[in-house]
């Protein structure tokens, strides 16, 4: 029986896929000291790579400043966003930068424990990652008195998810770690104040943490020279869909969608979904938009659709995803997504009124502001952007058309 | 379950813990905020909802409840906060910095309307036929926010069957709005752990372990979830149609007993403010709608005190004098059927501590179908006994198979305050306008001691009034017989009374410090049990436990809504009525003396009373098959 | 359930609490291990876990019902999860569905009569660049063609 082939290509890239010697950044971080690490991080203007884009240095500084007997660093490897697989590649190909980043984080904020929250779908990585951790322990990069620095104790444990997209939301992830349903908490208080077990906790995306060792080695200023003014450094883009070379690409922030499409070999592209199911769907006219936090923001997912694809079929797929993956806690997200899905089905069989669609559009706007967490707030993005950008196609059906689109297939 | 100080509710549902660099209450840290362009100061950590309430700004709520921790799930209370992109839930947002809040912008109003629309689109059923018609929070919100149509549809089919398995609580999950008040009530407030949210996404619903019927899980029937449900998803099993049928049946002799708590609270069902007892009015109303006799449960409460108090003295004697190790102390009260089922499920190994005395309701039923039938020459077969209780667990209790010591089902129907109010309205009566009248003989006289059973600590206070006097021959040494240590809503109260100069029968108690504990709500009961398990309560003699927060007056059959303030008002009404009574001690009730002379001739805890007035318990355990 | 089966399950759960601790945070690792070993977490196991961790059984049930990979009832000896998210959908998921359903004679969401295979859809497996992707128990298969899918399933015991 064949299993998945673990590709171990020698990728090249400007930051994450550049040269790095395992453990070197930890040594350097300890040499320059906590403050200097935070300063480098601030200079790098590194922002959270999971999608929300919160400045990493701020997160770390708040936690570092908190006086608490215990602090935690959690690496969010619950990569569930449709079309995202960069963390998988990072962890399989470069676990050293991810774990070194965690160790540096632990050192900087004063945490003794790091937790890697690995999504259940990545169970096959567990053994590989555990082996890597054992190797680090042997090399004194984990455990007690790391690199012979007195009092620098830090260890990493891996905890598995069990198939819940919402656990990628940081407070839901913490709830899940604590043994509860993965339901997002009310914020404030934020995890940096009251996180895992009530202790100050930094939750960072895999890619964010993986950027840290490079920043330490090559300075924050170096990092900030890549990308745009507000989106510094590089980004791993997971490209899938209708293109010749799907896969993970490390590109500087600020590239236009057209440029990316060229790189991945996409032809006859009709639409590009930027940011996965919770992102926005752009049409040809918007392909000059730049991939960056300030313009077309993404956690890395880029899905390409060519001219042959039915845009409502795609939208229905996204909405079905949210109906299932909503945690079911808050009203706008739990019921709102069901209503949007019903709306999409109506659009597909032409059995809609414009008044209904207007209501749903407004409902989508309410969901964006009134939902409890990021999942609910971003779940109507695809619906709203497709209605805006593909209105001709969306409203092409009438009930007399024998379109059996409601069928899932 | 281990004893613990912290709440076990998920952190997301716990009260917010805001990191504060200092104790704000000590130095009075205040934050200046703006609500709708009006400046004001509020203490650090106040939620937006509280701040608004203090400043006469109304914010709609649905999942929020004063007795429960924050959930922030319904999102109806969203407001605009100037520095935030998204709307914030007022109930869950603690104010820690200077913010500007707007509570009624277009965005906010639209969001609220949408949320109500969405809830209605999943809310099956018609308001006309709903038990909560006119007292439904969802319905009120819909009318307040001008929802004039089903924008997002309305369900035409049921998704869930109504769970009618329980004697007490019915669940119609098609009316559930998933506010999770019942979950927080069951897990956090009562720590029983029957209801939880199950499933995810659109499949989320509230159910029991493995979705079993309520009668098969460890529900104690306290009905606290019913009291906090904003809609008609949870309600009690209403026997009023059967009672009407019995009233209409000329052959049947229908007697009704009314407990003090419904009398102190039924006014709320008729639009009056909480805190007025309508005892006299109720008596008239009950006769007018056709009950043949109206009795006072307090008589049975007095009887309970005689039995339970005597049992305690007997136990003390066995332990102190006879050194009998098979007799257990402390003795627990057994009047609260929710508590009885709780201990049967969770602490079956401690059932020997539970007083064998039946609850007043059941004692009443037993003497009605024996003593009363005999005295008045009525065939007990034709007697239908109805008990008006503040309680949903009483419905389960009267259906316990062992409750047939009269040879018949001792109490035929348990009726809650809410259901009785409905019957009275159905009978065309506006209760507050009724003239007052008294109770019927032979159970028409009662003491104030029986009356205060309705509030937490009441049984203890009543028992002390009698026991102290039996032992020492003197009245309890408190002004106006107010034993303040028993009163108030503190979760667990602990106190003691020194017994001095005892009468000859009780010299063995000379100098004993009679220690007692009063707890209400099963979460506190659990704590008491864990203390007992840990051996911390070995010197305690008597423990009163009521399953519901506040005691019977906060029972699961009482008018909705409930809140700490409302329960306080009800307690005030009960204590005021006690002080207006001439007889304040159970053993001084002439009717009690009479029944022991005429009927229970071998005295309290004698052979006959053992047969009629005492019961046994079932070791149920908490394994769900 | 036989008594000795129960006893061994209790022992197993006690061992797990030794490994993962008795705090609530140990709940998911314990449930995941039980799921892995027994293919389900029976109501007895749930109550025993609840007892060991001092929480209510309904809370354990609630947690199980939240996570897609945990099941209170046995689903079948092998669980086949086919990714239904957009990239795999574009890559030809529907052909796989038709082929597999035709071959096994059951629909997705159902279990074969001999309890050998349970078919399920799942959301994004993170294999979008190599779709369509399929997971059998814990093993991932990528770029699955209908023909290969059927061949793989036929080999599953």
């Amino acid at each position: 029986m064949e299993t998945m082939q673990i590709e171990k290509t020698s990728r090249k890239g400007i930051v994450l896929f550049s040269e790095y010697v395992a453990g070197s950044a930890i040594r350097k971080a300890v040499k320059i000291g906590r403050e200097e690490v935070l300063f480098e991080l601030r200079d790098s203007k590194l922002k959270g790579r999971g999608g929300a884009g919160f400045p990493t240095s701020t997160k770390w500084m708040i936690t570092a400043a908190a006086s608490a007997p215990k602090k935690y660093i959690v690496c969010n490897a619950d990569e569930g966003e449709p079309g995202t697989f960069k963390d998988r590649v990072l962890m399989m190909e470069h676990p050293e930068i991810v774990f070194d980043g965690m160790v540096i984080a632990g050192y900087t904020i004063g945490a003794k424990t790091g937790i890697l929250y690995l999504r259940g779908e990545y169970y096959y990585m567990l053994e590989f990652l555990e082996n890597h951790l054992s190797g680090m322990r042997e090399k004194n990069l984990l455990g007690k008195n790391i690199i012979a620095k007195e009092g620098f104790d830090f260890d990493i444990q891996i905890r598995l998810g069990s198939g819940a997209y919402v656990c990628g939301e940081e407070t839901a992830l913490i709830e899940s770690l604590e043994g509860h349903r993965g339901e997002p908490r009310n914020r404030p208080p934020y995890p940096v104040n009251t996180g895992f077990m009530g202790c100050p906790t930094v939750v960072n995306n895999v890619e964010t943490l993986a950027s840290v060792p490079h920043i330490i080695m090559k300075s924050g200023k170096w990092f900030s020279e890549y990308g745009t003014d507000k989106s510094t450094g590089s980004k791993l883009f997971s490209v899938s869909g209708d293109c010749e070379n799907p896969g993970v690409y490390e590109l500087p922030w600020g590239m236009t969608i057209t440029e990316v499409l060229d790189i991945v070999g996409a032809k006859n592209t009709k639409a590009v979904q930027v940011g996965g199911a919770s992102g926005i769907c752009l049409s040809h006219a918007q392909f000059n938009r730049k991939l960056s936090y300030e313009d077309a923001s993404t956690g890395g997912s880029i899905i390409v659709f060519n001219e042959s694809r039915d845009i409502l079929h795609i939208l229905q797929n996204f909405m079905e995803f949210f109906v299932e993956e909503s945690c079911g806690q808050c009203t706008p997200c739990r019921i709102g997504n069901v209503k949007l899905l019903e709306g999409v089905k109506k659009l597909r069989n032409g059995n809609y009124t414009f008044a209904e669609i207007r209501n749903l559009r407004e409902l989508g706007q309410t969901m964006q502001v009134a939902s409890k967490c990021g999942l609910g707030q971003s779940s109507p993005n695809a619906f709203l952007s497709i209605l805006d950008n593909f209105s001709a196609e969306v409203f092409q059906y009438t009930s007399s058309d024998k379109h059996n689109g409601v069928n899932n297939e | 379950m281990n004893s613990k100080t912290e709440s076990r509710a998920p952190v997301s549902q716990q009260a917010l813990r805001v990191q504060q660099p200092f104790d704000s209450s000590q130095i009075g840290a205040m934050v200046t905020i703006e609500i709708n362009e009006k400046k004001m100061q509020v203490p650090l950590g106040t939620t937006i909802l509280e701040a608004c309430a203090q400043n006469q700004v109304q914010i709609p709520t649905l999942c929020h409840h004063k007795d429960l921790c924050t959930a922030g799930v319904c999102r109806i209370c969203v407001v605009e906060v100037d520095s935030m992109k998204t709307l914030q839930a007022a109930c869950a947002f603690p104010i820690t910095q200077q913010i500007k809040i707007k509570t009624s912008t277009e965005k906010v109003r639209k969001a609220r309307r949408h949320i109500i629309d969405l809830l209605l689109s999943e809310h099956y059923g018609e308001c006309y036929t709903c038990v909560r018609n006119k007292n439904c929070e969802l319905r009120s919100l819909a009318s307040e926010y001008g929802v004039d149509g089903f924008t997002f549809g309305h369900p035409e089919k049921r998704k869930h069957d109504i769970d009618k398995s329980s004697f007490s609580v019915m669940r119609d999950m098609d009316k559930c709005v998933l506010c999770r008040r019942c979950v927080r009530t069951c897990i956090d407030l009562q720590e029983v752990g029957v209801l939880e949210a199950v499933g995810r996404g659109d499949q989320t619903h509230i159910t029991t372990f493995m979705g079993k019927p309520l009668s098969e899980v460890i529900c104690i029937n306290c009905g606290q979830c019913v009291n906090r449900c904003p809609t008609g998803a949870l309600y009690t099993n209403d026997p009023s149609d059967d009672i009407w049928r019995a009233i209409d049946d000329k052959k049947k002799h229908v007697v009704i007993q009314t407990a003090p708590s419904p009398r102190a609270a039924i006014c709320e069902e008729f639009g009056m403010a909480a805190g007025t007892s309508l005892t006299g009015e109720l008596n008239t109303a009950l006769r007018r709608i056709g009950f043949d006799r109206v009795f006072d449960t307090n008589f049975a409460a007095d009887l309970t005190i005689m039995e339970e108090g005597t049992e305690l003295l007997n136990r003390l004697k066995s332990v102190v004098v006879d050194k009998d190790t098979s007799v257990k102390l402390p003795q627990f009260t057994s009047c609260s059927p929710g508590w009885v089922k709780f201990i049967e499920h969770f602490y079956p190994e401690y059932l020997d501590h539970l007083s064998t005395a039946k609850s007043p309701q059941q004692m009443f039923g037993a003497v009605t179908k024996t003593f009363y039938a005999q005295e008045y020459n009525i065939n007990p077969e034709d007697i239908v006994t109805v008990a008006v209780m503040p309680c949903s667990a009483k419905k389960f209790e009267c259906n316990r198979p062992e409750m047939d010591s009269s040879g018949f089902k001792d109490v035929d129907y348990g009726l809650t305050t809410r259901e009785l109010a409905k019957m009275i309205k159905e009978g065309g009566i506006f209760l507050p306008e009724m003239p007052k009248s008294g109770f019927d003989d032979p159970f028409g006289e009662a003491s104030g001691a029986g009356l205060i059973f309705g509030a937490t600590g009441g049984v203890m206070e009543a028992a002390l009034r009698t026991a102290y006097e039996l032992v020492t021959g003197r009245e309890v040494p408190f002004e106006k017989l107010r034993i303040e240590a028993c009163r108030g809503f503190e979760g667990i109260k602990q106190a003691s009374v020194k017994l001095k100069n005892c009468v000859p029968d009780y010299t063995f108690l000379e100098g004993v410090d009679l220690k007692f504990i009063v707890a209400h709500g099963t979460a506190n009961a659990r704590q008491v049990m864990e203390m007992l398990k840990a051996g911390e309560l070995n010197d305690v003699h008597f423990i009163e436990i009521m399953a519901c927060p506040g005691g019977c007056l906060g029972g699961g059959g009482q008018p909705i809504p409930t809140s700490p303030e409302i329960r306080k008002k009800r307690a005030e009404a009960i204590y005021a009525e006690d002080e207006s009574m001439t007889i304040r001690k159970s053993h001084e009730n002439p009717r009690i003396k009479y029944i022991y002379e005429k009927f229970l001739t071998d005295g309290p805890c004698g052979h006959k009373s053992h047969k009629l007035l005492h019961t046994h318990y079932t070791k149920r355990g908490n394994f769900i098959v | 359930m036989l008594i000795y089966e129960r006893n061994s399950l209790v022992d197993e759960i006690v061992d797990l609490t030794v490994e993962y601790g008795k705090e609530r945070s140990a709940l998911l690792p314990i449930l995941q291990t039980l799921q892995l070993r027994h293919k389900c977490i029976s109501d007895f196991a749930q109550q025993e876990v609840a007892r060991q961790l001092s929480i209510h059984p309904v809370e354990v049930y609630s947690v199980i019902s939240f996570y897609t990979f945990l099941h209170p009832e046995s689903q079948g000896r092998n669980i086949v999860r086919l990714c239904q998210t957009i990239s795999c959908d574009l890559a030809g998921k529907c052909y796989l569905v038709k082929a597999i359903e035709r071959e096994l004679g059951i629909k997705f969401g159902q279990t074969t009569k001999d309890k050998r295979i349970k078919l399920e859809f799942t959301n994004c497996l993170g294999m979008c660049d190599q779709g369509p992707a399929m997971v059998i128990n814990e093993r991932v298969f990528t770029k699955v063609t209908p023909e290969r899918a059927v061949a793989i399933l036929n080999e599953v015991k």
Side-chain angles (χ1 to χ4, degrees), chain B residues 332-348:
Chain B
F332 285 106
T333 59
S334 58
C335 331
S336 166
W339 152 241
V340 169
K341 194 150 184 264
F342 183 84
I343 188 173
E344 283 180 338
H345 277 307
F346 296 102
Y347 298 93

Short mmCIF file of all heavy atoms in Angstrom, two decimals, chain B residues 332-348:
data_model
loop_
_atom_site.label_atom_id
_atom_site.label_comp_id
_atom_site.label_asym_id
_atom_site.label_seq_id
_atom_site.Cartn_x
_atom_site.Cartn_y
_atom_site.Cartn_z
N PHE B 332 -29.31 14.68 57.97
CA PHE B 332 -29.70 15.62 56.92
C PHE B 332 -31.21 15.74 56.85
O PHE B 332 -31.92 14.77 57.08
CB PHE B 332 -29.23 15.12 55.56
CG PHE B 332 -27.76 15.28 55.33
CD1 PHE B 332 -26.91 14.19 55.37
CD2 PHE B 332 -27.23 16.53 55.04
CE1 PHE B 332 -25.55 14.34 55.14
CE2 PHE B 332 -25.87 16.69 54.81
CZ PHE B 332 -25.03 15.59 54.87
N THR B 333 -31.67 16.94 56.51
CA THR B 333 -33.11 17.09 56.27
C THR B 333 -33.49 16.36 54.99
O THR B 333 -32.67 16.14 54.12
CB THR B 333 -33.49 18.57 56.11
OG1 THR B 333 -32.76 19.11 55.00
CG2 THR B 333 -33.18 19.36 57.35
N SER B 334 -34.77 16.02 54.90
CA SER B 334 -35.22 15.26 53.73
C SER B 334 -36.44 15.90 53.10
O SER B 334 -37.21 15.23 52.42
CB SER B 334 -35.54 13.83 54.14
OG SER B 334 -36.53 13.86 55.15
N CYS B 335 -36.65 17.20 53.32
CA CYS B 335 -37.87 17.82 52.79
C CYS B 335 -37.76 18.17 51.34
O CYS B 335 -38.76 18.38 50.67
CB CYS B 335 -38.22 19.11 53.51
SG CYS B 335 -37.69 19.17 55.18
N SER B 336 -36.52 18.30 50.85
CA SER B 336 -36.36 18.77 49.48
C SER B 336 -36.17 17.58 48.55
O SER B 336 -35.16 16.90 48.60
CB SER B 336 -35.15 19.70 49.41
OG SER B 336 -34.78 19.91 48.08
N PRO B 337 -37.17 17.26 47.73
CA PRO B 337 -37.07 16.06 46.90
C PRO B 337 -35.93 16.13 45.89
O PRO B 337 -35.39 15.11 45.48
CB PRO B 337 -38.43 15.98 46.20
CG PRO B 337 -39.01 17.34 46.30
CD PRO B 337 -38.43 17.98 47.51
N GLY B 338 -35.57 17.34 45.49
CA GLY B 338 -34.42 17.49 44.59
C GLY B 338 -33.16 17.04 45.29
O GLY B 338 -32.35 16.28 44.76
N TRP B 339 -33.02 17.48 46.51
CA TRP B 339 -31.85 17.10 47.30
C TRP B 339 -31.84 15.61 47.58
O TRP B 339 -30.80 14.95 47.50
CB TRP B 339 -31.85 17.93 48.59
CG TRP B 339 -31.18 17.29 49.78
CD1 TRP B 339 -31.77 16.97 50.97
CD2 TRP B 339 -29.80 16.90 49.90
NE1 TRP B 339 -30.87 16.41 51.81
CE2 TRP B 339 -29.65 16.36 51.19
CE3 TRP B 339 -28.70 16.95 49.06
CZ2 TRP B 339 -28.43 15.86 51.66
CZ3 TRP B 339 -27.49 16.46 49.52
CH2 TRP B 339 -27.36 15.93 50.79
N VAL B 340 -33.01 15.04 47.85
CA VAL B 340 -33.07 13.61 48.14
C VAL B 340 -32.59 12.82 46.93
O VAL B 340 -31.76 11.91 47.03
CB VAL B 340 -34.50 13.19 48.54
CG1 VAL B 340 -34.62 11.67 48.56
CG2 VAL B 340 -34.87 13.76 49.89
N LYS B 341 -33.04 13.24 45.75
CA LYS B 341 -32.61 12.50 44.56
C LYS B 341 -31.12 12.76 44.29
O LYS B 341 -30.40 11.89 43.81
CB LYS B 341 -33.47 12.88 43.34
CG LYS B 341 -33.29 11.92 42.18
CD LYS B 341 -34.52 11.78 41.32
CE LYS B 341 -34.34 10.73 40.23
NZ LYS B 341 -33.94 11.27 38.95
N PHE B 342 -30.70 13.94 44.63
CA PHE B 342 -29.28 14.28 44.45
C PHE B 342 -28.40 13.33 45.27
O PHE B 342 -27.43 12.76 44.77
CB PHE B 342 -29.06 15.73 44.88
CG PHE B 342 -27.65 16.22 44.69
CD1 PHE B 342 -27.24 16.71 43.46
CD2 PHE B 342 -26.73 16.19 45.73
CE1 PHE B 342 -25.94 17.17 43.27
CE2 PHE B 342 -25.43 16.65 45.55
CZ PHE B 342 -25.04 17.14 44.32
N ILE B 343 -28.75 13.18 46.54
CA ILE B 343 -27.90 12.33 47.40
C ILE B 343 -28.05 10.86 46.98
O ILE B 343 -27.08 10.10 47.02
CB ILE B 343 -28.20 12.57 48.91
CG1 ILE B 343 -27.18 11.84 49.78
CG2 ILE B 343 -29.59 12.20 49.31
CD1 ILE B 343 -27.30 12.16 51.25
N GLU B 344 -29.24 10.49 46.53
CA GLU B 344 -29.41 9.11 46.04
C GLU B 344 -28.50 8.83 44.84
O GLU B 344 -27.98 7.73 44.71
CB GLU B 344 -30.87 8.87 45.63
CG GLU B 344 -31.81 8.66 46.81
CD GLU B 344 -33.24 8.42 46.36
OE1 GLU B 344 -33.61 8.81 45.24
OE2 GLU B 344 -34.01 7.84 47.14
N HIS B 345 -28.34 9.84 44.00
CA HIS B 345 -27.50 9.65 42.82
C HIS B 345 -26.02 9.78 43.13
O HIS B 345 -25.22 8.96 42.71
CB HIS B 345 -27.85 10.68 41.75
CG HIS B 345 -29.02 10.32 40.90
ND1 HIS B 345 -29.11 9.12 40.24
CD2 HIS B 345 -30.15 10.99 40.61
CE1 HIS B 345 -30.26 9.07 39.57
NE2 HIS B 345 -30.90 10.20 39.78
N PHE B 346 -25.67 10.83 43.85
CA PHE B 346 -24.25 11.17 43.92
C PHE B 346 -23.56 10.71 45.21
O PHE B 346 -22.36 10.55 45.24
CB PHE B 346 -24.08 12.68 43.75
CG PHE B 346 -24.52 13.17 42.39
CD1 PHE B 346 -25.74 13.80 42.22
CD2 PHE B 346 -23.72 12.94 41.28
CE1 PHE B 346 -26.14 14.22 40.97
CE2 PHE B 346 -24.12 13.36 40.02
CZ PHE B 346 -25.33 14.00 39.87
N TYR B 347 -24.32 10.55 46.26
CA TYR B 347 -23.70 10.12 47.52
C TYR B 347 -24.54 9.01 48.17
O TYR B 347 -24.92 9.11 49.33
CB TYR B 347 -23.54 11.30 48.48
CG TYR B 347 -22.63 12.37 47.92
CD1 TYR B 347 -23.13 13.44 47.21
CD2 TYR B 347 -21.24 12.27 48.08
CE1 TYR B 347 -22.29 14.39 46.65
CE2 TYR B 347 -20.40 13.22 47.54
CZ TYR B 347 -20.92 14.27 46.83
OH TYR B 347 -20.09 15.21 46.29
N PRO B 348 -24.82 7.94 47.41
CA PRO B 348 -25.72 6.91 47.96
C PRO B 348 -25.18 6.29 49.24
O PRO B 348 -25.95 5.80 50.07
CB PRO B 348 -25.80 5.89 46.83
CG PRO B 348 -24.63 6.14 45.94
CD PRO B 348 -24.33 7.60 46.07
#
